[in-house]
Amino acid sequence: MRETDAARPAAFAPPVTANADLATLMTLFSAAFPIGSFAFSHGLEAAVAEGRVQTAGDVRDWLAVLLSRGSGWNDLVLMSLAHRAVKNEDAVALEELATLATALCGSAERRHEMMSLGAAFLAAASPWTGSASMPKAGIGDADTAPLPVASGAVAALAGLPLSPSLVGYAQSFASSLVSATVRLVPLGQSEWVVIIRDLMPTIVETAERASVSTLDDLGSAAIVSDIAAMRHETLATRLFRS
């Protein structure tokens, strides 16, 4: 007798539980997710070389500023808006966000970082988006896939809720840069863990603000970080690509 759909094991059914969403979030925004973020320092390499970042406390404070009112904050706002655009099937809004995210990059290396990681994220996340494609905005192309926009779009296509997705992105952003400082400052593993622990309130609070943000909330006040990213381009010796 042929097996019917109703008789098939539960494993054939798509996951719909909160735990399944959590597992997906932990995978997409894991440091092990294959997008190559380990190759970029977001300007931190120049900041360390110039003596601006020398201790675990310096790293914590630098990243707290990036998350709350710097490039990390802008990323979260763009990700939030991209998530909503996909949910609303608004292709025009998604395309405009991709263009805006690219324009907000303050240096050539920042742009290269955002676009390279975005394209890699889209490619690596394809098992979760399946046959679903981005609304006709072209952000699946390597030249038009800024990381925060790609992340918001993928999270929406994968059926993930917005707020936890923002927390996942912010935590991944911070962890990647702390990992860079482990090699640059250098920091010990125990210091790495304390920095991440200390940043958790900032990560959660910033993600909550971004979840209800609009385009009017975009803006950066992390000028020293932007300058460091520009100066990185001329460092004589470099470990990282940005």
Side-chain angles (χ1 to χ4, degrees):
M1 181 171 141
R2 178 177 292 181
E3 182 186 41
T4 65
D5 289 342
R8 286 178 178 171
F12 283 90
V16 294
T17 66
N19 284 340
D21 283 349
L22 177 60
T24 300
L25 278 169
M26 292 175 67
T27 301
L28 291 176
F29 300 110
S30 165
F33 203 59
I35 65 173
S37 58
F38 62 85
F40 299 92
S41 81
H42 207 68
L44 265 167
E45 185 168 17
V48 172
E50 295 175 355
R52 296 181 183 277
V53 176
Q54 297 181 299
T55 67
D58 293 340
V59 174
R60 179 198 61 225
D61 294 344
W62 185 278
L63 296 183
V65 170
L66 287 184
L67 285 166
S68 61
R69 54 183 183 273
S71 55
W73 164 249
N74 279 342
D75 277 7
L76 291 174
V77 173
L78 291 165
M79 179 180 176
S80 178
L81 296 173
H83 189 282
R84 292 178 218 163
V86 171
K87 285 293 187 181
N88 295 331
E89 299 184 354
D90 191 338
V92 173
L94 192 64
E95 185 174 14
E96 290 176 348
L97 285 170
T99 301
L100 177 59
T102 306
L104 287 173
C105 297
S107 66
E109 287 194 357
R110 281 276 176 90
R111 183 188 184 281
H112 174 63
E113 176 182 340
M114 178 179 281
M115 306 310 287
S116 295
L117 295 180
F121 186 84
L122 284 180
S126 60
W128 284 269
T129 57
S131 60
S133 60
M134 303 297 167
K136 299 173 183 178
I139 71 165
D141 299 332
D143 292 335
T144 53
L147 179 60
V149 177
S151 297
V154 166
L157 287 171
L160 298 174
L162 175 59
S163 291
S165 298
L166 292 169
V167 171
Y169 184 99
Q171 202 277 338
S172 178
F173 176 90
S175 293
S176 176
L177 296 185
V178 172
S179 178
T181 62
V182 168
R183 288 166 277 173
L184 290 168
V185 173
L187 298 177
Q189 295 297 325
S190 59
E191 292 177 298
W192 183 99
V193 173
V194 172
I195 293 171
I196 292 297
R197 189 276 314 272
D198 290 348
L199 286 173
M200 284 302 168
T202 300
I203 288 172
V204 173
E205 187 274 334
T206 305
E208 289 176 352
R209 284 195 292 124
S211 69
V212 293
S213 62
T214 68
L215 282 174
D216 291 337
D217 295 304
L218 282 169
S220 172
I223 298 174
V224 176
S225 172
D226 294 334
I227 293 173
M230 296 176 192
R231 288 180 174 169
H232 184 267
E233 298 175 14
T234 59
L235 283 184
T237 303
R238 302 191 298 178
L239 294 177
F240 295 88
R241 297 173 67 184
S242 73

